Amino acid sequence: MANLLLIDEDSAYRRALASGLAQYGHVVSDVSLHAAGRVLADLTCHTHQRPDVVLIDPFLPTVDGLLLLRLMCLGSRRPVMLHTADCPEEQVLQALRGGADGYLPKPAQPAVVDAKVGALLRRVPAAPPPAPCVVGALRVDVAERRVSLHGVPVAVTRSEFDLLACLAEHPGRVVSRTVLRTRLGRGGTTSINGIDVLVHRLRAKLGEPAAPVRYLHTVRGKGVSLHAADRGVQHHRM
């Protein structure tokens, strides 16, 4: 089993391949090519769970595909496989010379992708676990999916943890509700009200059901930020 990141502008193909790969035990995160910038930003965070392998079709008329591929190779620090259709030989060579770890023509059967991924991972160590994020007395451990406050475990639901994990990638930064909706609900299906409900529930579990707010700060019209209210307490990663 591997954690795979599939970047492709063809949403129907993404869904079909992700579904097929799930039958082989893989966990697949799939995003559109236009979300690649956000993906790169996420991968620079120490608290973000890195994929084991990235599969990407970087070519669109409006996109410098080879540059994007090189950036993904550098930013992900994981094996990156070029997965595209009707790619000229010279373009494949440029991609491989630019850092790609392999080329797999599209479309491909899930069994073939599974075999290619397996071959890559036999040569490359698994992705290291992300570092826990500590903000004041709050600790969010993405690798173990655990939350603790003052060293005491806090029981959270899957959605509550995913919200905290997303905010913990950029402690102190306001994350828009649009981004949170996309990250928590596939295709942005989580409602704005749903985000607010999760924030309310988490505040109660963190002992701050009412003002003053200690960790989860909402900014009207902008989003949510995770930081310690006491400015004397610095957030850091361990």
Side-chain angles (χ1 to χ4, degrees):
M1 186 188 78
N3 290 310
L4 308 179
L5 173 60
L6 174 60
I7 305 175
D8 194 299
E9 201 59 24
D10 185 340
S11 59
Y13 182 73
R14 291 200 319 263
R15 288 193 298 269
L17 184 57
S19 176
L21 288 170
Q23 303 303 311
Y24 290 86
H26 300 297
V27 177
V28 183
S29 300
D30 64 282
V31 298
S32 70
L33 185 60
H34 284 93
R38 175 181 60 76
V39 170
L40 277 169
D42 289 343
L43 292 175
T44 64
C45 299
H46 296 292
T47 55
H48 188 78
Q49 178 67 62
R50 295 182 181 279
D52 293 307
V53 176
V54 178
L55 296 97
I56 182 171
D57 182 351
F59 299 116
L60 277 180
T62 57
V63 175
D64 186 336
L66 291 174
L67 175 59
L68 176 59
L69 183 70
R70 292 189 187 101
L71 291 173
M72 189 60 64
C73 292
L74 291 171
S76 69
R77 288 174 279 170
R78 299 303 303 155
V80 176
M81 184 180 298
L82 176 65
H83 184 41
T84 189
D86 303 322
C87 193
E89 184 178 86
E90 182 57 33
Q91 220 167 30
V92 173
L93 291 174
Q94 288 178 333
L96 294 172
R97 289 167 179 159
D101 296 275
Y103 167 56
L104 179 61
K106 191 176 81 175
Q109 292 298 315
V112 175
V113 179
D114 172 65
K116 284 275 192 177
V117 166
L120 267 179
L121 293 180
R122 282 193 291 272
R123 303 193 303 270
V124 180
C133 177
V134 178
V135 179
L138 177 67
R139 178 185 174 99
V140 182
D141 190 332
V142 176
E144 298 293 332
R145 294 189 68 84
R146 293 177 181 171
V147 178
S148 62
L149 184 64
H150 297 288
V152 179
V154 178
V156 295
T157 66
R158 178 176 179 176
S159 295
E160 290 166 355
F161 182 86
D162 289 344
L163 175 63
L164 269 181
C166 184
L167 295 172
E169 290 170 6
H170 305 281
R173 183 185 303 178
V174 177
V175 182
S176 73
R177 285 177 171 81
T178 300
V179 169
L180 293 173
R181 287 179 63 197
T182 301
R183 292 287 298 275
L184 271 67
R186 191 164 181 158
T189 55
T190 299
S191 67
I192 293 295
N193 183 61
I195 296 296
D196 291 336
V197 169
L198 288 176
V199 169
H200 178 76
R201 286 180 0 204
L202 277 170
R203 281 177 174 165
K205 291 183 177 183
L206 297 178
E208 49 183 49
V213 173
R214 174 70 171 160
Y215 292 108
L216 292 171
H217 305 263
T218 53
V219 181
R220 186 180 296 275
K222 293 186 177 180
V224 187
S225 172
L226 174 66
H227 64 266
D230 182 359
R231 297 300 182 180
V233 178
Q234 299 296 317
H235 59 254
H236 59 283
R237 297 187 181 95
M238 297 181 64

